[in-house]
């Protein structure tokens, strides 16, 4: 199962390198696009939960790394007001 990393730019201009155990992230985000915080969180939850379930289907257990990444994203998002926007800077192609 190909994993991937993606880079986010938060409203304060800081960046985070994030992990997904599946390429499903590409179905939810577009590099260069920015998303209102509530929409960004909804997309992140859906994509990373699907990614975790794909790992479960293949290996018999959920992907704790995907769920941990989601927790980090949600914690960071809590620093910003709902009208803030989060940009998806880039996808890193899987090795």
């Amino acid at each position: 199962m190909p994993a991937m990393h993606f880079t986010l730019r938060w409203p304060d201009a800081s960046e985070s390198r994030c992990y997904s155990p599946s390429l499903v992230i590409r179905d939810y985000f577009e590099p260069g696009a920015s998303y209102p915080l509530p929409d960004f969180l909804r997309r992140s939850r859906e994509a990373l939960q699907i990614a975790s379930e794909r790992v479960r289907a293949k290996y018999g257990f959920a992907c704790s790394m995907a769920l941990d990444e989601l927790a980090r994203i949600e914690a960071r998002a809590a620093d910003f007001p709902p009208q803030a926007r989060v940009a998806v800077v880039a996808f890193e192609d899987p090795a």
Side-chain angles (χ1 to χ4, degrees):
M1 177 170 296
M4 68 176 293
H5 287 90
F6 55 104
T7 304
L8 304 176
R9 182 171 300 121
W10 296 98
D12 64 0
S14 66
E15 293 187 355
S16 297
R17 184 173 184 252
C18 302
Y19 170 82
S20 171
S22 165
L23 301 180
V24 72
I25 291 294
R26 293 177 185 264
D27 296 338
Y28 284 81
F29 296 109
E30 172 125 6
S34 70
Y35 302 87
L37 189 60
D39 183 43
F40 169 76
L41 287 171
R42 179 190 59 77
R43 290 169 183 259
S44 296
R45 288 179 188 118
E46 287 182 28
L48 289 168
Q49 287 171 352
I50 289 169
S52 179
E53 287 305 312
R54 287 183 178 179
V55 170
R56 182 189 309 277
K58 186 167 185 172
Y59 299 107
F61 51 86
C63 180
S64 62
M65 288 178 65
L67 301 176
D68 289 347
E69 190 66 70
L70 178 56
R72 282 189 291 276
I73 287 170
E74 289 178 331
R76 185 70 176 110
D79 293 339
F80 304 104
Q83 67 272 20
R85 296 182 72 86
V86 179
V88 176
V89 176
F91 295 145
E92 293 178 32
D93 288 326

